[in-house]
Amino acid sequence: MTEHQKDRFATGVIYFLVGIVVILLAGILGNILINGLPHLSWHFLTSESSDFQAGGGVRDQLFNSVYLLVLTTIISLPIALGAAIYLSEYARDNWITHLIRSTIEILSSLPSIVVGLFGYLLFVVQFGFGFSILSGALALTFFNLPILTSNIEESLKGVSATQREAGLALGLSNWKTIRGIVVPAALPGIITGVVLSGGRIFGEAATLIYTAGQSGSLVDYHNWNPLSPTSFLNVMRPAETLAVHIWKVNTEGIISDATAVSAATGALLVLVVIIFNLSARYFGNKLYQKLTAAK
Amino acid sequence: MENLSPAFITTFEASERALTTEHLDVLYGGTIQKLFDTSLQFKKNSITALIGASGSGKSTFLRSLNRMNDTVATVNGKIMFHGLNVNQANINVYELRKSIGMVFQKPNPFPKSIYDNITYALRADGEKNQQKLATIVEESLRAAALWDEVKDKLNQSALALSGGQQQRLCIARALALRPEIILLDEPASALDPVSTSKLEDTLKQLREKYTMVMVTHNMQQAARISDYTAFFHLGHAIEYDTTTNIFTNPQGAITEAYIQGSFG
Amino acid sequence: MSKKDTENLKDVVNQAIDSQQVVHVKLKDIGQKDVDIDKLTRPSKETHQEYWGRGLSYLAIGLIILLVGSIIGFVGIHGLATFFRDHVNLWQFLSSTDWDPTSGPNHVGALVMIVTSFLVTLLSALVATPFAVAVALFMTEYASKKAASFLQSIIELLVGIPSVVYGFLGLTLVVPVIRAIFGGTGFGILAGMLVLFVMVLPTITSLTVDALNAVPKHFRQASAALGATHWQTIARVVLKVATPRILTAVIFGMARAFGEALAVQMVIGNAVLMPYNLVTPSSTLTSQLTTQIGNTVMGTLANNALWSLALLLLVMSLFFNILVRMIGKKGAK
């Protein structure tokens, strides 16, 4: 074979493999959406799930997923921001910093089931929180922290050093410079990071099955007292999320329409991920334009 | 080996000095020395230009004066300001920087409105009186010769201004803190000739109220606006005299070679 | 300097100095402030701000370190209890296929789970790598910018699809097909491997794209200028330079596959049986943990044995981490 023929052959192989992958990807996305969307009705989104019969919805699971997402973000954002500020602004280039970075890498590479089991040990058993939204949110925080921290750190590093100099030369403290100038300038990137990590949290199940639990309790959406056991805001109640719901109806489920329910829930999850991806870009860009607006 | 000992260093009466350095050494990474035994006195209400080739240590020297080099370098020696050595660990660098302002090579306005750019540090300092803030904004912008150009768009983003306007905004921002000394690190190097000449006019006006120390690569600029000039070479202050003397009657051989080369 | 030059220079300078006309502007409020020299030696608002702000950021990073430490500590203590308190032999744990911890310490052999976990991980990475490299090469060396960025966003989307959705697809699409072709239940390593293949493909691809993009453009130009064909340039220059980082990408993919729990658990069959072929039900470390930890009582041997599996997972994830570092160091040399 001449070099020229080899070149043509290799190009052919690459295009062939890419073709297979494209068909595969299109097939996967198409399958999820085509099988799921027809079942995704208003009734499905707003009615309770059923344990035995067909025709149940995912109202509570949907709310629980959103609630856990919000709580997890509220808990993890300040910690991730603080840690990212340390890494990007205060850390010196020495062995301690290297050790800290390795630690965060280790956390990010831990299997989520291990993080979930640790949450089970610490929060559910040791602290006695039981299977609850609180245990789930704390476990998800662990799952979320490393990625969020490194996303925020990247955004902070993207802010020009001349901005920091400008602040310091005006007699501002490092901290005030960071809080008032660097963080706002990095905000588009930070928001993109938060939204993208939100998509991950929304679809996570392994961390939750032994922390937030695999069943829901009776929930009253008119009870606004977070301390009441039936309130939808109560953080001590067990809560099954959408992702956990798919897993459960497929592994233990006895409902006859498990496939339809899973397909619809799967399509819902994928839609949410798509929305998160698109809005992360949209808000990031929008905010960036606003910050640097020429008007 | 060239002779790097000082050829001539001018001095001033104690009452005329705004800032003095004594035997200043700057080391990077603990081993690489960028500045050697520099003792210079800066006269009140004058513009002093620091000239020299790239890597001569003039910027390093300038940035040491308001302790901007603290995190990257070790600075040994004394920096005397109102009889106090401000190069000591117990000095409050934030307060020091409010008295010794700085303008950088590249205009670096905050991505905020023109108004907020000027008031940000004041508000951080606790100034809440809106009337007073508005007055300071106007006065600083006037002093930086920018008021007429921006008075109608104070709430617009500072990033929409031209490079020259941004740089004058950075000067106004420094002036708003009412400093005594302004350090300028090649303030015109990123500007076009028209903006440069406007900036120079501004600096000449400010001499009346402030002491300025300016690093510049541009000999003509040093000649046009400075009263005194210090020439740096390989980390040593070789010669320091009135600008006229430095340019027309340099004492050191290296100074003469540099000036001649620069004017071509 | 010649006499004439000096005269010229003097003219230039004198002209310049003459032009130093000062335009007077009244500076009232913003003239210099009298310096309060005492202020320079006293802590100010900024000092306190800095103190607290720095403290907060240290606290946050400290919290994360504490967290990682306690995860390793907790899982370690519970996982090691099997060996130290229940006196299970470590070698037996690693080499025996007899997994029935409720029957006593002589029946704690995790070999089935270990073998299955490694098999699905290696096989899925093995299959995914050529596809991932092909797609990455297509995106960086062949495709137009537009096509590349379209593929990029699809891949990002696939990374974001929840693993239970992949598990569900495996359960409803892959398992029935395998059942139809090979008979049996359809559950097993083949199904797990196919699901993991789809899951690690986007991970390996996007990291490989980064690796290829990191190869400097002038390498390619130099090679093309020497008359090399496109493929010669890719094979001899681009891929060669990017190899360490592509390996890293594959290991990241393997780490993801090894730690994946629910998607695998849904299609693997969850029977603790040695996999003599790819289409009989088996069990991975993660699937065993997922299905069994809820059925055991804290502190019993059965429970501790499961924590030992978790510890094994943790150790493997540390191992993948170290491997990535070692390759990174070697690549840097």
Side-chain angles (χ1 to χ4, degrees):
Chain A
M1 211 156 48
T2 66
E3 285 304 333
H4 209 72
Q5 283 167 324
K6 269 191 204 165
D7 183 51
R8 290 238 303 266
F9 178 71
T11 309
V13 169
I14 287 174
Y15 274 77
F16 176 68
L17 292 177
V18 171
I20 292 179
V21 170
V22 169
I23 292 169
L24 195 68
L25 301 190
I28 290 169
L29 281 176
N31 191 285
I32 296 171
L33 295 177
I34 290 168
N35 287 330
L37 288 181
H39 298 287
L40 202 57
S41 62
W42 184 246
H43 171 79
F44 182 74
L45 294 178
T46 56
S47 56
E48 270 177 64
S49 62
S50 152
D51 288 340
F52 310 106
Q53 300 142 303
V58 290
R59 182 192 66 189
D60 298 343
Q61 285 80 3
L62 181 58
F63 174 77
N64 290 339
S65 295
V66 174
Y67 197 30
L68 267 167
L69 167 65
V70 171
L71 282 181
T72 305
T73 306
I74 291 175
I75 302 171
S76 51
L77 184 57
I79 303 174
L81 191 61
I85 287 176
Y86 171 82
L87 288 172
S88 117
E89 311 293 323
Y90 287 120
R92 302 204 167 186
D93 190 19
N94 55 23
W95 66 271
I96 300 177
T97 308
H98 281 277
L99 191 70
I100 292 173
R101 284 187 193 284
S102 320
T103 314
I104 292 176
E105 264 171 42
I106 289 171
L107 186 57
S108 77
S109 65
L110 283 184
S112 57
I113 184 80
V114 172
V115 176
L117 290 176
F118 169 73
Y120 169 68
L121 259 186
L122 192 65
F123 303 123
V124 178
V125 179
Q126 206 90 14
F127 292 177
F129 294 166
F131 290 122
S132 63
I133 291 187
L134 184 62
S135 302
L138 289 171
L140 278 180
T141 297
F142 295 1
F143 168 81
N144 193 27
L145 273 178
I147 299 233
L148 194 56
T149 302
S150 53
N151 280 346
I152 297 177
E153 190 196 344
E154 285 303 307
S155 320
L156 292 177
K157 282 194 165 154
V159 177
S160 161
T162 62
Q163 289 286 317
R164 294 178 178 85
E165 284 185 334
L168 293 180
L170 290 172
L172 300 177
S173 60
N174 272 313
W175 179 251
K176 182 76 186 171
T177 308
I178 294 162
R179 223 193 55 197
I181 293 158
V182 179
V183 170
L187 211 53
I190 294 176
I191 290 194
T192 307
V194 169
V195 176
L196 284 178
S197 76
R200 247 167 60 97
I201 295 173
F202 204 80
E204 176 56 25
T207 315
L208 288 175
I209 53 178
Y210 290 112
T211 52
Q214 304 165 29
S215 61
S217 57
L218 272 180
V219 182
D220 178 1
Y221 288 92
H222 299 290
N223 186 345
W224 287 83
N225 175 11
L227 298 175
S228 158
T230 58
S231 168
F232 66 106
L233 291 175
N234 188 320
V235 293
M236 299 313 285
R237 65 183 170 87
E240 184 195 37
T241 64
L242 288 173
V244 173
H245 191 58
I246 296 186
W247 176 73
K248 211 183 75 179
V249 297
N250 279 294
T251 48
E252 309 172 353
I254 34 178
I255 51 173
S256 52
D257 60 347
T259 307
V261 168
S262 314
T265 313
L268 182 59
L269 280 174
V270 171
L271 276 183
V272 170
V273 170
I274 293 175
I275 292 169
F276 270 77
N277 271 326
L278 292 179
S279 58
R281 280 186 207 183
Y282 177 79
F283 285 122
N285 286 339
K286 198 86 183 169
L287 205 71
Y288 183 76
Q289 279 167 8
K290 204 180 161 199
L291 272 176
T292 57
K295 274 199 283 186
Chain B
M1 191 63 200
E2 287 173 296
N3 176 14
L4 294 173
S5 56
F8 179 78
I9 301 289
T10 189
T11 55
F12 303 103
E13 295 289 320
S15 63
E16 287 182 324
R17 296 174 204 156
L19 192 70
T20 305
T21 66
E22 293 173 17
H23 311 292
L24 214 61
D25 289 325
V26 179
L27 290 94
Y28 283 89
T31 48
I32 306 153
Q33 190 155 2
K34 280 297 192 64
L35 193 74
F36 300 83
D37 194 28
T38 307
S39 303
L40 298 179
Q41 302 173 350
F42 297 104
K43 191 173 176 252
K44 284 179 184 166
N45 293 72
S46 65
I47 300 180
T48 305
L50 309 182
I51 63 170
S54 296
S56 60
K58 56 192 191 306
S59 273
T60 300
F61 175 73
L62 189 81
R63 295 170 62 93
S64 301
L65 297 180
N66 65 343
R67 306 273 303 268
M68 289 294 281
N69 268 347
D70 275 13
T71 52
V72 290
T74 318
V75 183
N76 297 321
K78 285 183 178 175
I79 301 170
M80 302 304 293
F81 181 58
H82 288 275
L84 179 70
N85 177 14
V86 294
N87 189 32
Q88 297 183 91
N90 70 338
I91 291 295
N92 184 330
V93 291
Y94 314 114
E95 292 298 329
L96 177 71
R97 289 172 191 155
K98 288 176 198 166
S99 295
I100 306 182
M102 191 163 206
V103 175
F104 296 87
Q105 187 169 2
K106 235 182 119 213
N108 54 359
F110 302 133
K112 301 176 190 290
S113 72
I114 295 171
Y115 190 89
D116 285 347
N117 257 280
I118 296 176
T119 57
Y120 189 75
L122 291 163
R123 282 182 289 132
D125 210 19
E127 181 60 65
K128 289 197 181 75
N129 185 335
Q130 288 300 325
Q131 187 59 47
K132 191 166 179 203
L133 287 173
T135 315
I136 294 178
V137 168
E138 177 169 353
E139 296 254 339
S140 328
L141 285 171
R142 278 192 194 282
L146 191 60
W147 175 252
D148 291 332
E149 291 161 61
V150 301
K151 64 183 173 199
D152 298 323
K153 44 180 180 182
L154 293 177
N155 289 320
Q156 292 180 13
S157 169
L159 300 182
L161 298 174
S162 74
Q165 288 174 325
Q166 286 186 10
Q167 194 63 303
R168 277 178 285 146
L169 176 64
C170 291
I171 292 178
R173 184 171 69 181
L175 294 181
L177 287 168
R178 305 177 66 191
E180 204 167 302
I181 300 171
I182 302 170
L183 308 174
L184 302 121
D185 192 357
E186 297 186 45
S189 69
L191 305 184
D192 60 84
V194 178
S195 300
T196 302
S197 113
K198 277 195 170 169
L199 184 82
E200 288 177 3
D201 286 343
T202 310
L203 296 180
K204 278 186 274 180
Q205 286 175 28
L206 292 173
R207 175 167 47 187
E208 193 184 346
K209 288 266 181 182
Y210 302 92
T211 306
M212 281 174 278
V213 182
M214 175 178 73
V215 165
T216 180
H217 265 130
N218 182 331
M219 290 310 113
Q220 280 83 356
Q221 184 174 58
R224 278 196 300 269
I225 65 172
S226 70
D227 305 292
Y228 297 90
T229 297
F231 169 67
F232 282 75
H233 186 64
L234 300 175
H236 295 263
I238 302 291
E239 192 162 350
Y240 179 30
D241 205 344
T242 63
T243 298
T244 319
N245 279 348
I246 290 277
F247 282 112
T248 56
N249 189 22
Q251 305 294 305
I254 315 173
T255 320
E256 186 175 338
Y258 182 73
I259 301 277
Q260 201 174 11
S262 298
F263 273 101
Chain C
M1 249 196 279
S2 74
K3 186 97 179 156
K4 198 173 160 236
D5 282 344
T6 316
E7 287 303 318
N8 277 342
L9 186 56
K10 268 186 181 155
D11 282 349
V12 172
V13 172
N14 284 330
Q15 263 173 25
I17 290 172
D18 284 344
S19 74
Q20 287 194 22
Q21 28 170 316
V22 177
V23 190
H24 281 272
V25 167
K26 277 273 169 269
L27 303 171
K28 286 175 294 186
D29 284 356
I30 61 134
Q32 48 177 262
K33 192 158 64 172
D34 284 336
V35 173
D36 179 0
I37 208 74
D38 282 350
K39 261 191 166 175
L40 294 181
T41 51
R42 278 201 310 259
S44 63
K45 199 167 107 190
E46 287 82 5
T47 322
H48 299 298
Q49 230 171 35
E50 185 60 19
Y51 183 78
W52 284 106
R54 195 182 274 259
L56 277 178
S57 84
Y58 281 37
L59 189 72
I61 201 81
L63 211 58
I64 294 184
I65 294 167
L66 183 74
L67 187 70
V68 178
S70 52
I71 290 184
I72 295 176
F74 266 81
V75 176
I77 288 169
H78 284 261
L80 291 174
T82 316
F83 308 108
F84 290 106
R85 233 190 48 210
D86 301 319
H87 305 290
V88 171
N89 181 300
L90 177 65
W91 177 243
Q92 185 210 331
F93 175 76
L94 293 174
S95 65
S96 157
T97 58
D98 179 9
W99 178 262
D100 187 13
T102 43
S103 310
N106 290 328
H107 302 276
V108 186
L111 187 64
V112 172
M113 278 79 82
I114 296 171
V115 167
T116 308
S117 276
F118 273 99
L119 268 182
V120 286
T121 301
L122 287 171
L123 287 175
S124 60
L126 211 63
V127 179
T129 303
F131 285 97
V133 172
V135 174
L137 279 175
F138 177 76
M139 285 168 67
T140 55
E141 316 290 326
Y142 291 90
S144 67
K145 262 219 170 94
K146 225 171 165 183
S149 88
F150 177 72
L151 265 176
Q152 177 83 35
S153 43
I154 295 285
I155 286 170
E156 274 169 24
L157 181 64
L158 286 172
V159 176
I161 290 183
S163 60
V164 283
V165 175
Y166 284 115
F168 168 68
L169 285 177
L171 196 62
T172 51
L173 295 176
V174 178
V175 170
V177 170
I178 295 176
R179 189 185 303 141
I181 298 175
F182 298 98
T185 59
F187 292 100
I189 289 181
L190 184 62
M193 176 210 115
L194 287 173
V195 168
L196 285 177
F197 156 68
V198 176
M199 293 182 71
V200 300
L201 182 64
T203 309
I204 303 181
T205 305
S206 63
L207 289 171
T208 304
V209 168
D210 293 345
L212 296 178
N213 277 332
V215 178
K217 268 239 152 55
H218 64 259
F219 281 25
R220 297 180 174 90
Q221 286 157 354
S223 170
L226 290 173
T229 63
H230 198 175
W231 174 246
Q232 277 177 313
T233 304
I234 290 170
R236 293 185 194 165
V237 181
V238 180
L239 284 180
K240 211 167 177 187
V241 176
T243 299
R245 288 190 60 177
I246 295 176
L247 269 179
T248 314
V250 175
I251 292 170
F252 267 113
M254 283 169 60
R256 186 174 181 202
F258 200 83
E260 176 51 44
L262 302 189
V264 176
Q265 183 266 328
M266 287 164 91
V267 299
I268 198 83
N270 302 305
V272 188
L273 296 170
M274 203 59 184
Y276 290 107
N277 61 54
L278 298 182
V279 290
T280 52
S282 188
S283 198
T284 63
L285 292 168
T286 52
S287 77
Q288 190 63 20
L289 271 172
T290 313
T291 50
Q292 297 306 318
I293 200 109
N295 299 335
T296 57
V297 179
M298 271 302 238
T300 61
L301 171 62
N303 187 265
N304 286 343
L306 289 173
W307 283 108
S308 302
L309 298 186
L311 181 62
L312 202 55
L313 273 176
L314 196 140
V315 169
M316 276 311 294
S317 109
L318 291 183
F319 171 74
F320 284 127
N321 228 299
I322 292 167
L323 210 58
V324 164
R325 271 164 192 269
M326 272 166 50
I327 292 173
K329 269 206 188 120
K330 225 175 175 178
K333 266 177 198 168

